[in-house]
Amino acid sequence: MASVTAESVVEATLKSYAALPKHGKPSVRDNGVPEWTILASISLTLPDACSSTATNGTQVVPISIGTGVKVLPAARLPPLGDTVHDCHAEVLARRGFVRWLLDQATRVARGEEHAGLVLWDAETKRFSLAPGVQAWLYVSALPVGVAQHVLSC
């Protein structure tokens, strides 16, 4: 498998983000001050065997993208807990990735069509990513707290 570079992960993330609708993205305010946000993604790298469109032996596929910069204060939390409390980009990207993993595992367990990137090992009774598939985290700014905790499931 060709080596993946951080630049290829960033490039794939920015390309996917640019393809999203303009609604909700930072813009320039009426007073000329540009808005900004932090962008995060979790991407999978797929070796040739997993993809017919791979270039240089590896394809980078952003699975989840999130933007955001804040946490709701305790005073604004609803009593039913039906609001996303932590809106940091890396937290939102992680949540989307976990949702994708759960969806893929459910499809595998039910025998439904799936991406083929999540596999069930009957011997260990565990799901795992397919051989050669790697997960990469990209954050456009330093994450809050200790980065090693971002992807712990």
Side-chain angles (χ1 to χ4, degrees), residues 36-142:
W36 63 276
T37 191
I38 295 174
L39 173 65
S41 73
I42 297 181
S43 299
L44 295 181
T45 57
L46 315 179
D48 263 340
C50 294
S51 172
S52 60
T53 60
T55 56
N56 297 328
T58 304
Q59 181 184 16
V60 179
V61 179
I63 298 297
S64 179
I65 295 177
T67 61
V69 293
K70 33 172 126 169
V71 175
L72 283 177
R76 295 204 43 212
L77 290 176
L80 298 176
D82 55 355
T83 300
V84 176
H85 172 61
D86 191 342
C87 297
H88 286 92
E90 65 274 16
V91 171
L92 296 175
R94 179 193 174 276
R95 286 179 179 178
F97 182 61
V98 169
R99 179 168 166 65
W100 180 86
L101 286 172
L102 291 172
D103 176 69
Q104 292 299 299
T106 300
R107 290 171 181 264
V108 168
R110 291 180 179 166
E112 298 173 357
E113 186 175 334
H114 57 90
L117 303 176
V118 175
L119 305 176
W120 170 252
D121 184 335
E123 186 176 314
T124 63
K125 295 186 175 20
R126 291 179 176 244
F127 288 99
S128 65
L129 292 177
V133 175
Q134 298 178 338
W136 286 67
L137 169 67
Y138 163 72
V139 184
S140 63
L142 292 176

